Amino acid sequence: MKTYWQNYIDGTWVDGGAGRIDVFNPGTGEKLAEQALAGVAEVDRAVVAAQRVHLSGALSDLRPVERGRMVQAMGRYLIEHIDEIAHVLTLEQGKPLWEARIEVEGAARYFEYYGNQAETVEGRSIPLGKDYLDFTTYEPFGVSAQIIPWNYPIEMTARSLSAALATGNACVIKTPELTPLSNAWLAHAAEAVGLPKGAVNILCGLGSEAGAALSAHPLVNQIVFTGSVPTGVAIATAAAKNVVPCVLELGGKSAAIVHDDADLDAFENDVRWGIYFNAGQVCSAMSRVIAHDSIHDELVERMVGVAQSLTVRPGIDQPEFGPTMGAMVSEAQRDRAADKVGAAHGEGAHVATGGRKMNIPGAFLEPTIVTNVTPDMTIANEEVFGPVLSVLKFSSDEDAIAMANGTPYGLVGGVFTRNLDRATTAARNLRAGQIFVNEWYAGGVETPFGGYGKSGYGREKGREALWNYVQTKNVAIKLG
Ligand code: NAP
Ligand code: MG
C-alpha cells in the first residue's frame, strides 16, 4: 500500500500546506500511511476552483441527463475498484472487510440513485392570467462544502457528493483526519468519468483549521456536515454569518421499543445489526432498547447471547460475512466508550456482558450490554458511539414512548410489535425523522433520513435530499 497520500485540488494531486498527519490502523495500532494536511491556503484554492467551475456553467449548463450519466458512472467506477477500496477502508477504519465491501456498495448505490434523479428536478408553471407566462426553475447553489465523519468515510462522502453533482454543484470535500485515505477513489472516479477539473476537490485537514476555514469561506454557498453536536453548532454558526444554508446530521440516542407481542427471534437479528454493525459507530444505531417488563429478562438473555456470539478481531482477517466485529476507529474513541460504560456502572447500571477493552493490540472493545439503565442516567442520554447497548424497562405504552422521546436527540426510532394500532400510534408519537417498525434500518437510499431536535436538520437520502442542493428561481414573463 502507498505510504503517502496527497490531496486533490483543481484536478491535481498536491502536498499539504499544513504538513502531514499519520494515519493509523486501529486493527493493529500501527502506523499505516501519511496523509497530506491541507491548510487555509489549500482550502481557499479548492473553493476558488469550485467556484470557477460553477460560474463557467460546465456543470450547471448541461442537460441533466448528461450530468446524471457521469454521476452514475462514478458509482460503477467504485464497484470496479471495490477490492482495493475496501482493503484500504478496512485498514484505516477498523471495520471487517466484508463490512467495508458493503460500505463501498452503499457508496456506489448513492451515485446510481442520484444519477437517476438528476433529470427529475423539474419546476412548475404558475398561472397568472392571459398576459403572463410564469415558471419556476431549480438552480444549484454553486459551491457545496462537505465535511465528512470517520465512521463511513466513503459512503458519507458519496451521499452528499452524488446529490450535489446531480443537481449541478461543484464540491469541496473535507475528509476526516482519522480516515482520509479511501476518499481518494472518489477523486479518481470524478476524473475517470470526465467531470471538469475543479468540480470535485477532496482534501484532508484538521477540523479546527481546514474544516473551520471551509465552513467560514465567503465563496461557499451551501454546507453539509455529519458529526457531533458541538462541531455542528460551530458550522451552523459559520454558515449563519455568511447567510448560507447547511444540512446538519448530528447523531442520536435512538431507541427500539420492544412490546410483549414482538417477534423476539427476529429481534435478535436487529440487535446484531442495530448496535454491532460498524462496532456501533453509526449515527442511527439502536443504542437503547426499551423492553416491556414481561419479556425484559428473556430479551436480555437473548441480547447477551448475540453479543457473546460475535468474534472480534482485525477487520482485514474478516473477509467473509459472518458473526464478527472489528476494531473501533481509534483507541481514543474506544477509551471514550469504555469510560462511558464505567460511568454507567458508577451510576447504578449493570454491565450484563462486555464493557472492557480487549487485551490485544488495536482499538477493540467487547460487545457490550448494559441493563438496569434508567432514563436519568448519562448513558441513557449521551451518544456512546460504540458497541454498547443500553436496556431500559417499561410497563405502559405511554411510558415507553416518553422514554424514547426523553433525550435531546431524534434521529430514528423503532417499535417492535404485532399490533398494528400500537405500531401506528408509536410511529405518530415518536419524535424522530425515521421510524422503523419490526425491522431496524428498514428503508434505503430512496427513503429520507435526518433528525428532529439536536439530531440536526435538513434531510439526506431520498428525493427530499435534492432540495438541499438547489434554490428556487421564479421567472415571470409579461406577454405582449
Ligand atoms: P466531529 O468533531 O464532529 O468531526 C466530524 C468532522 O468535522 C471531521 O471531519 C472533523 O475534522 C470536522 N471538524 C471538527 N471540528 C471542526 C470545526 N471546528 N469546523 C469544521 N469542521 C470540524 O466528531 P469527532 O470528534 O470525530 O467524534 C466525536 C463524536 O461525534 C463521536 O463520538 C460521535 O458521538 C459523534 N459523531 C457522530 C457521527 C454521525 O454520524 N452522526 C459521525 C462521527 C462522529 P477532524 O477529522 O479533523 O476531527
Ligand atoms: Mg475530531
Side-chain angles (χ1 to χ4, degrees):
M1 197 182 117
K2 235 173 35 172
T3 55
Y4 173 52
W5 299 63
Q6 291 173 297
N7 294 317
Y8 185 71
I9 298 176
D10 201 7
T12 310
W13 293 95
V14 295
D15 292 333
R20 298 181 179 196
I21 191 170
D22 290 342
V23 179
F24 289 91
N25 175 352
T28 61
E30 286 162 5
K31 180 172 158 180
L32 186 62
E34 288 179 13
Q35 164 70 48
L37 269 191
V40 174
E42 281 90 23
V43 168
D44 184 60
R45 279 185 46 215
V47 172
V48 167
Q51 195 202 38
R52 187 199 69 231
V53 169
H54 174 61
L55 295 178
S56 76
L59 287 176
S60 51
D61 286 351
L62 289 179
R63 190 165 171 158
V65 65
E66 294 172 30
R67 277 200 311 269
R69 284 180 183 142
M70 287 193 276
V71 172
Q72 290 168 342
M74 287 182 71
R76 289 196 296 274
Y77 182 93
L78 297 183
I79 295 296
E80 283 158 18
H81 295 82
I82 189 168
D83 292 340
E84 0 166 5
I85 307 172
H87 181 81
V88 169
L89 177 57
T90 283
L91 291 179
E92 68 175 340
Q93 206 276 344
K95 64 185 70 193
L97 192 52
W98 63 265
E99 285 194 28
R101 295 183 70 90
I102 290 178
E103 179 173 342
V104 177
E105 286 163 2
R109 171 76 182 116
Y110 280 106
F111 289 102
E112 175 184 49
Y113 179 76
Y114 285 110
N116 279 328
Q117 296 298 321
E119 341 185 37
T120 69
V121 183
E122 297 168 340
R124 62 196 174 107
S125 172
I126 299 166
L128 292 178
K130 77 171 175 48
D131 295 335
Y132 296 89
L133 173 62
D134 186 284
F135 59 92
T136 58
T137 58
Y138 292 104
E139 297 187 342
F141 279 105
V143 179
S144 171
Q146 305 172 5
I147 297 173
I148 308 299
W150 42 256
N151 55 342
Y152 287 96
I154 193 156
E155 198 170 352
M156 293 302 94
T157 303
R159 183 167 83 180
S160 39
L161 179 60
S162 57
L165 289 172
T167 46
N169 295 275
C171 301
V172 180
I173 314 279
K174 204 294 275 177
T175 60
E177 66 186 79
L178 290 174
T179 59
L181 308 182
S182 50
N183 262 261
W185 275 274
L186 292 165
H188 295 312
E191 219 165 71
V193 306
L195 281 165
K197 282 186 198 312
V200 175
N201 303 275
I202 300 185
L203 48 88
C204 181
L206 298 181
S208 55
E209 194 177 333
L214 180 59
S215 49
H217 199 291
L219 300 183
V220 163
N221 305 113
Q222 180 257 12
I223 304 175
V224 183
F225 171 73
T226 303
S228 63
V229 175
T231 305
V233 171
I235 287 170
T237 304
K241 286 185 177 153
N242 287 330
V243 197
V244 300
C246 59
V247 177
L248 298 182
E249 208 269 87
L250 307 180
K253 190 75 201 181
S254 303
I257 298 173
V258 187
H259 286 282
D260 52 7
D261 60 356
D263 178 346
L264 298 190
D265 290 335
F267 187 69
E268 285 188 28
N269 203 37
D270 292 285
V271 173
R272 192 264 169 276
W273 291 102
I275 193 64
Y276 299 123
F277 193 59
N278 210 30
Q281 300 161 117
V282 184
C283 44
S284 49
M286 188 177 83
S287 55
R288 291 183 296 155
V289 162
I290 302 177
H292 190 266
D293 266 338
S294 65
I295 51 149
H296 172 273
D297 294 353
E298 184 192 347
L299 196 60
V300 167
E301 201 174 302
R302 284 168 175 260
M303 294 189 294
V304 166
V306 171
Q308 293 178 348
S309 74
L310 298 176
T311 304
V312 186
R313 58 169 181 252
I316 204 70
D317 301 333
Q318 304 179 35
E320 302 295 337
F321 172 86
T324 63
M325 194 179 84
M328 292 182 66
V329 74
S330 69
E331 290 179 18
Q333 281 294 322
R334 190 270 315 272
D335 292 351
R336 179 180 171 276
D339 287 351
K340 284 185 184 281
V341 176
H345 179 70
E347 286 182 52
H350 170 65
V351 182
T353 188
R356 289 170 307 190
K357 306 175 192 181
M358 290 174 61
N359 193 19
I360 50 173
F364 293 97
L365 184 68
E366 295 172 335
T368 304
I369 307 268
V370 183
T371 60
N372 293 9
V373 174
T374 51
D376 52 302
M377 290 181 186
T378 310
I379 201 161
N381 294 284
E382 285 185 5
E383 202 171 29
V384 175
F385 226 64
V388 178
L389 175 60
S390 297
V391 188
L392 299 93
K393 256 188 217 183
F394 78 93
S395 47
S396 81
D397 292 19
E398 293 72 26
D399 285 353
I401 288 169
M403 270 186 237
N405 286 340
T407 80
Y409 288 110
L411 193 53
V412 304
V415 56
F416 293 77
T417 174
R418 291 187 172 92
N419 180 320
L420 185 62
D421 287 343
R422 257 186 181 155
T424 52
T425 301
R428 196 170 54 249
N429 291 330
L430 286 170
R431 286 197 302 273
Q434 187 168 26
I435 308 298
F436 304 131
V437 178
N438 291 337
E439 186 186 79
W440 200 263
Y441 294 142
V445 170
E446 307 91 325
T447 52
F449 172 76
Y452 281 33
K454 289 222 163 50
S455 291
Y457 47 72
R459 291 293 177 269
E460 293 278 30
K461 300 186 172 177
R463 284 184 50 72
E464 277 75 0
L466 291 166
W467 312 119
N468 295 317
Y469 297 90
V470 293
Q471 47 199 342
T472 306
K473 178 179 278 180
N474 187 74
V475 180
I477 302 173
K478 171 80 168 72
L479 302 173

